[in-house]
Amino acid sequence: DEIGRMAEAIESMLVGLKAKVEFAENIGKGNYESKFELLSEEDTMGEALMRMRDNLNQAAEQDSKRNWASEGLAKFADILRSRNDNINELSDSIISNLVKYMNANQGALFLINDDNSGDSFIEMVACYAYNRKKFLNKRIEMGEGIIGQCILEKETIYMSDIPDGYVHITSGLGEALPKHLLIVPLKLDEAIFGVVEIDSFQKIEPHQIEFVEKLGE
């Protein structure tokens, strides 16, 4: 009986070691979704492996977000260089590519129109929604609504529950309306030139907001 219990204990230990080896190999291959069950409350090696998996997974996610932002900034730098002689083409290209890159649903680019010093206003210069360009004429007075508020305060506005009274880009066009709204000022030092608006059905993550803010500069 004692020999039998020893054999069972050794067999259990070998099964546990095999499971740890497989778990460690999966971590080494970057499979951070791999599951592992502790052999007991005193399985310190198993706990250490699980902590290592979680730390590596977190580091991989951070690297992925940084790479996504870096690639995006490089992409839009190319757009700015290639189309900077035509403001209309540049505006259309920026907003359409930004909506796609963010996996959002719609977006618009607004610039401050101060051609007439006695009649400065905010003008929508480009609009893109649901994979197509929108042709909407939109004039917003300085300080009016959320767009005007963003320009006055010079700060990013993010809302995860857009109020029903907000005038959407697709308002009246029959499409379902996103509920997540991001408005970022376009600024150089402290001078504000306009804002970019992004609407999405999905939550806009903090690293995405930071990316649009860098792009806005």
Side-chain angles (χ1 to χ4, degrees):
D1 290 343
E2 290 181 1
I3 293 175
R5 286 196 296 272
M6 289 174 61
E8 289 177 356
I10 292 172
E11 183 177 358
S12 177
M13 181 182 69
L14 291 175
V15 170
L17 284 173
K18 182 180 179 182
K20 289 183 175 71
V21 169
E22 290 178 354
F23 184 55
E25 287 177 344
N26 282 327
I27 294 174
K29 294 175 183 177
N31 181 12
Y32 303 125
E33 301 299 321
S34 179
K35 304 296 182 182
F36 178 77
E37 293 185 7
L38 297 176
L39 299 179
S40 69
E41 294 180 357
E42 299 176 354
D43 188 358
T44 55
M45 182 183 292
E47 289 179 347
L49 286 172
M50 291 176 71
R51 283 195 300 271
M52 181 177 70
R53 175 200 61 187
D54 294 342
N55 290 337
L56 288 172
N57 187 31
Q58 185 177 9
E61 288 179 355
Q62 293 299 323
D63 284 343
S64 177
K65 291 174 182 178
R66 281 192 292 269
N67 291 337
W68 178 85
S70 297
E71 290 172 4
L73 290 173
K75 173 185 179 73
F76 285 96
D78 288 340
I79 292 173
L80 288 168
R81 281 193 295 267
S82 64
R83 296 176 181 265
N84 60 11
D85 59 337
N86 187 312
I87 187 65
N88 292 324
E89 288 185 5
L90 177 62
S91 300
D92 287 339
S93 183
I94 286 175
I95 200 62
S96 62
N97 279 282
L98 183 56
V99 169
K100 294 173 185 176
Y101 199 72
M102 295 278 290
N103 286 323
N105 301 91
Q106 54 189 35
L109 188 63
F110 299 84
L111 295 180
I112 296 175
N113 186 327
D114 55 2
D115 293 343
N116 184 346
S117 59
D119 183 30
S120 295
F121 60 94
I122 306 164
E123 180 182 12
M124 179 190 285
V125 295
C127 182
Y128 187 82
Y130 300 91
N131 294 318
R132 59 187 184 272
K133 179 180 177 179
K134 296 288 185 179
F135 296 92
L136 300 177
N137 294 320
K138 191 167 185 180
R139 171 182 171 134
I140 300 175
E141 302 304 323
M142 301 297 290
E144 179 186 356
I146 302 176
I147 299 293
Q149 177 187 343
C150 179
I151 286 179
L152 288 179
E153 296 180 355
K154 303 180 180 181
E155 296 290 340
T156 295
I157 296 175
Y158 175 61
M159 305 176 71
S160 57
D161 188 15
I162 303 177
D164 293 334
Y166 181 73
V167 180
H168 286 75
I169 296 167
T170 54
S171 182
L173 300 180
E175 290 96 343
L177 301 178
K179 297 298 287 183
H180 297 272
L181 169 68
L182 175 66
I183 301 177
V184 174
L186 309 177
K187 59 184 178 180
L188 183 63
D189 296 326
E190 290 302 311
I192 302 296
F193 296 92
V195 301
V196 61
E197 173 183 338
I198 296 293
D199 297 342
S200 175
F201 285 111
Q202 305 297 324
K203 176 184 176 183
I204 301 176
E205 300 293 340
H207 74 281
Q208 294 177 306
I209 296 176
E210 182 180 357
F211 164 72
V212 181
E213 288 175 335
K214 289 181 179 178
L215 189 61
E217 297 172 0

